[in-house]
Amino acid sequence: MSSPEDFQPSNAAYLYLELADFVAGQIQRGNLKPGARLPPEREFAEEYGVSIGTARRATRELRERGLVITLPIKGTFVVDQSGSVSGS
């Protein structure tokens, strides 16, 4: 299973896209299961060593790809194949 330490961004792309791609890979490999909650943005930023703005943009990118959903007050969760959240 990959961890935040495995995230090694290059200088060739936008950092938020690389972070979104990394997390998307975690979801596709099953390391993040449907219903899994992503850390709050500040913790997410700290875990991956990025700014809060980068974490926020990566989360937005994941939402736009349909991989996660953000529920007000509850958090951001990985969605299942049908687009619904399991376990919330």
Side-chain angles (χ1 to χ4, degrees):
M1 180 169 158
S2 296
S3 67
E5 294 81 31
D6 295 329
F7 176 61
Q8 299 295 319
S10 71
N11 292 325
Y14 288 111
L15 186 55
Y16 79 93
L17 286 175
E18 289 195 34
L19 180 54
D21 289 344
F22 182 80
V23 175
Q26 296 282 60
I27 293 168
Q28 291 166 348
R29 285 188 294 281
N31 295 336
L32 287 172
K33 307 260 186 236
R37 185 176 186 270
L38 295 183
E41 288 175 342
R42 288 192 193 282
E43 288 178 31
F44 189 56
E46 286 178 20
E47 280 184 27
Y48 287 95
V50 299
S51 72
I52 184 115
T54 297
R56 192 170 284 145
R57 286 188 73 183
T59 302
R60 181 173 61 204
E61 178 70 20
L62 291 166
R63 272 195 308 270
E64 290 173 0
R65 294 181 191 184
L67 297 173
V68 301
I69 186 169
T70 300
L71 303 173
I73 302 174
K74 292 186 176 186
T76 300
F77 300 87
V78 175
V79 296
D80 67 18
Q81 295 296 336
S82 68
S84 65
V85 177
S86 71
S88 61

